[in-house]
Amino acid sequence: MKLSKIPHESVLVTMNEFNKESFENEMPMTRLYMYPEIVQDYSVFAPSICPICSTVLTYMKLSKIPHSIKAHTDACISPSKSFPMLAINGMTIKTGGSVIISYLMALGYNIDKIARADEMAYYFLVTNSMNKYLIYYLWYKEENYQKYTKDRYKSSSPFPFGGYYERRLRKEKISEIPEYLEENGEKLLQIDLNSTLYTLVCKLQDRRYFGDQGNKPSTLDAVVYGYLSILLCVEEQLFEDFPSLVDYCNRIQDEYYNHDISEVDGSHISELYQDTIVKTRKTALSHEQNRNSRYTLTFGIIVIALFVVYGDIGKNDNFKIYEL
């Protein structure tokens, strides 16, 4: 049982391309920087190898926020040295999954009518169980690390800094796995994961979504899909007993991923979001003008200093000033 391959607007950029990029070229105005997607045999698809990136992107899809995507392997371009990173008009606004989602909610894109306690419980259940399994499967197991993970977190820094960054990142991820799971941990994690998947099936039942009594998607749907899409891509056999979750992921992809960004009309743009767009544009232009002014002033000072030091004004015969 496989997920259908959905067209996905994702551009892989290098560090040099990122540096050359101007804020004037940020179209649409909101851009999400994230780790690259996973595509297996053009049939199984995950928006990103990072579940947090997938969660944020899915939240933006569910909220119908006009956006573009830049997939990047090196998070050194981010102030926090990690993705996801949200940029508006070329300016970094927020980094980190929960921070970005909270920021979008504050702008008027809150798809949760009521913050239900049971949904929060499911949120922590999903992130705790699936995150541990994905870290073990994608970072701890050498075969899977070489196959899936390494190239998608590859540093563009020159030798030897790039290799050091990759080793340090892997060490940090593995440190999140409890010591008792390092040996025969996959079986224990799989038992825990199966329990979580069964709980989600019981929660979903025959409804379309997890939020709003199944009528509309919520933040929980973004989180669940963000993790399930990766698990389906790398461990498809885990879902043989959970076909309803596969159907659920296909439904999210068909309804929210299988369309062009330009199809999102302006009726979904909140007033707070519009104000933010205007403010960031003005701030970006102001920063650009200030930078140009500093460059001009610095260049002028250097020219005057060189002229005074080497020009020998008024003393050298070649530079005498004659009265008319």
Side-chain angles (χ1 to χ4, degrees):
M1 190 172 299
K2 294 185 175 181
L3 278 172
S4 57
K5 175 69 176 77
I6 301 299
H8 183 55
E9 297 198 30
S10 177
V11 183
L12 186 64
V13 297
T14 64
M15 180 71 77
N16 291 333
E17 289 172 336
F18 179 85
N19 291 335
K20 293 177 182 177
E21 189 175 40
S22 169
F23 66 91
E24 296 175 345
N25 297 326
E26 289 283 337
M27 291 299 293
M29 292 165 286
T30 302
R31 176 162 291 174
L32 182 67
Y33 293 86
M34 51 188 272
Y35 294 106
E37 63 187 21
I38 306 176
V39 179
Q40 289 290 86
D41 301 326
Y42 301 97
S43 58
V44 182
F45 163 77
S48 172
I49 193 171
C50 171
I52 300 176
C53 292
S54 294
T55 296
V56 173
L57 177 60
T58 305
Y59 186 90
M60 297 177 72
K61 296 282 188 183
L62 298 180
S63 304
K64 299 181 179 179
I65 301 174
H67 64 278
S68 63
I69 303 164
K70 276 293 181 75
H72 205 297
T73 61
D74 192 350
C76 289
I77 63 176
S78 169
S80 63
K81 308 302 179 186
S82 65
F83 289 145
M85 177 179 74
L86 182 70
I88 298 180
N89 288 332
M91 299 182 61
T92 300
I93 301 298
K94 300 292 180 182
T95 60
S98 59
V99 175
I100 292 176
I101 291 178
S102 298
Y103 176 75
L104 295 174
M105 286 181 175
L107 292 181
Y109 291 102
N110 189 350
I111 58 178
D112 298 328
K113 290 185 177 181
I114 301 176
R116 296 168 55 93
D118 62 334
E119 289 195 7
M120 291 298 296
Y122 280 102
Y123 167 83
F124 288 111
L125 174 67
V126 170
T127 54
N128 182 56
S129 174
M130 295 188 185
N131 191 56
K132 284 192 298 185
Y133 187 86
L134 284 174
I135 290 176
Y136 184 89
Y137 188 86
L138 295 175
W139 292 92
Y140 183 77
K141 297 184 69 173
E142 183 66 26
E143 179 183 355
N144 296 328
Y145 175 76
Q146 296 294 334
K147 181 179 180 180
Y148 298 110
T149 314
K150 186 176 181 179
D151 289 340
R152 291 175 175 84
Y153 285 85
K154 190 174 183 179
S155 174
S156 58
S157 301
F159 177 83
F161 303 105
Y164 169 76
Y165 167 78
E166 295 165 13
R167 290 191 298 271
R168 181 175 61 85
L169 182 60
R170 187 183 186 188
K171 185 176 180 181
E172 289 177 356
K173 291 289 186 180
I174 293 177
S175 66
E176 298 180 25
I177 302 176
E179 292 184 3
Y180 69 90
L181 290 177
E182 292 185 2
E183 295 183 6
N184 300 321
E186 188 171 3
K187 294 182 179 179
L188 296 175
L189 289 172
Q190 190 167 337
I191 293 173
D192 183 40
L193 179 63
N194 286 337
S195 175
T196 301
L197 295 177
Y198 179 77
T199 303
L200 290 176
V201 169
C202 294
K203 167 72 174 174
L204 185 63
Q205 296 180 4
D206 58 349
R207 295 179 295 185
R208 295 184 61 81
Y209 309 106
F210 287 98
D212 193 23
Q213 297 181 347
N215 299 318
K216 293 181 179 180
S218 66
T219 303
L220 180 60
D221 288 278
V223 174
V224 171
Y225 177 79
Y227 282 85
L228 284 184
S229 61
I230 301 174
L231 284 170
L232 275 165
C233 190
V234 299
E235 282 280 77
E236 187 181 349
Q237 66 275 12
L238 292 175
F239 293 84
E240 292 178 355
D241 296 329
F242 308 104
S244 61
L245 294 180
V246 179
D247 294 338
Y248 165 79
C249 288
N250 278 321
R251 187 160 54 249
I252 294 291
Q253 287 189 346
D254 291 337
E255 295 181 6
Y256 293 97
Y257 276 85
N258 193 17
H259 63 76
D260 189 80
I261 295 172
S262 60
E263 295 178 6
V264 181
D265 58 62
S267 62
H268 299 291
I269 302 179
S270 68
E271 293 182 3
L272 285 173
Y273 181 73
Q274 290 177 338
D275 292 341
T276 302
I277 294 295
V278 173
K279 289 178 181 179
T280 53
R281 170 61 67 180
K282 291 180 178 179
T283 304
L285 291 173
S286 176
H287 286 176
E288 183 73 11
Q289 293 171 354
N290 291 339
R291 184 166 61 250
N292 292 337
S293 299
R294 289 195 299 269
Y295 289 159
T296 303
L297 179 61
T298 303
F299 179 76
I301 292 174
I302 292 174
V303 170
I304 293 174
L306 292 174
F307 192 64
V308 170
V309 173
Y310 298 104
D312 199 17
I313 300 175
K315 294 182 179 180
N316 193 302
D317 291 339
N318 295 328
F319 294 94
K320 283 185 178 180
I321 301 176
Y322 297 94
E323 297 181 358
L324 294 176

